[in-house]
Amino acid sequence: MVTTLAIDCGGGGIKASVLDEAGTMRARPLRVPTPYPLPPALFVRTLVDLGGRLPTADRLTVGVPGMIRHGVVVSTPHYVTRSGPRSRVDPDLQAEWSGWDARGALADAFGVPALVLNDAEVHGAGVVAGTGCELVLTLGTGLGSALFDGGVLAPHLELSHAPVRWGTTYDTYVGEPERRRLGDAFWSRRIRQVVDGLRPVFRWDRLYLGGGNSRLIRPEQLARMGDDVVVVPNTAGIVGGVRAWELAAGRRGART
């Protein structure tokens, strides 16, 4: 049996568990706060320390916020800041993270094959049916997204950085600070407006809303979004760590 250490990295916390081939957790998930400032070396040590508290595994899946191409960080919005999401960007951290081979560094540190993807992509791997056009949006510190066509993972687009209105990005428009400012009722209505606006862009067969804040969407707003919109549990960010290997095959290989 092949086991997978799945690590879901967020702006506020990092969660991990070990899964069997069926995606069943073999250990209770662990969570630690995301430390700041967070250079890549500390990121690796944090993940190694967290993994060391769990059963050993044969391979590693890590979901990281930001744009990841072939295991290399193109950009990450939170980890280049001095004290966490929405704080000032540190130019030195930005330089360290840009172009960093996360997959290579983590494979070496853990001594097992590693797969590093955007965190929404790993989340999506845990929920998509594998048929038709499926869009995944994760709601948390900001907005994450992943697109699948027939179960094939499409190249990642940073939808969160696109302007939604008045020069405001999706990340800011529906992220955790706005939810706290608006309250769940008004924030839920804003989520519905985002869904309505994106529908003609993607023409999805199914839209999955995940992430820690998806459970806070008011039922009346969810009902107005349509039967093709489904809220999925946040645990998909870990459970998807197994299936991500299958869905990413052929596009993003793992380093041994």
Side-chain angles (χ1 to χ4, degrees), residues 168-241:
T168 301
T169 65
Y170 283 97
D171 230 8
T172 301
Y173 193 61
V174 298
E176 173 64 5
E178 277 297 273
R179 186 196 67 80
R180 291 182 178 180
R181 186 182 72 85
L182 294 170
D184 289 345
F186 283 100
W187 176 82
S188 296
R189 185 163 61 184
R190 183 170 284 190
I191 296 299
R192 178 177 59 80
Q193 292 170 346
V194 167
V195 169
D196 290 344
L198 292 177
R199 184 181 294 276
V201 177
F202 289 95
R203 297 287 182 178
W204 56 71
D205 294 301
R206 183 64 58 89
L207 168 63
Y208 303 92
L209 299 176
N213 284 347
S214 62
R215 61 185 175 80
L216 302 176
I217 300 174
R218 291 294 180 88
E220 65 273 14
Q221 296 299 336
L222 183 62
R224 294 180 65 181
M225 295 182 202
D227 294 338
D228 57 350
V229 180
V230 180
V231 171
V232 294
N234 193 36
T235 53
I238 293 178
V239 175

Side-chain angles (χ1 to χ4, degrees), residues 64-116:
V64 180
M67 182 173 284
I68 313 296
R69 287 182 180 154
H70 309 292
V72 175
V73 178
V74 177
S75 65
T76 180
H78 310 312
Y79 299 164
V80 298
T81 62
R82 296 183 179 180
S83 56
R86 307 295 191 274
S87 66
R88 182 177 299 180
V89 171
D90 185 321
D92 293 333
L93 284 174
Q94 197 167 37
E96 284 192 65
W97 278 95
S98 180
W100 179 57
D101 182 5
R103 181 178 62 192
L106 290 168
D108 290 343
F110 280 88
V112 296
L115 181 65
V116 180

Side-chain angles (χ1 to χ4, degrees), residues 107-128:
D108 290 343
F110 280 88
V112 296
L115 181 65
V116 180
L117 300 171
N118 170 269
D119 55 342
E121 294 175 341
V122 179
H123 195 105
V127 299
V128 296

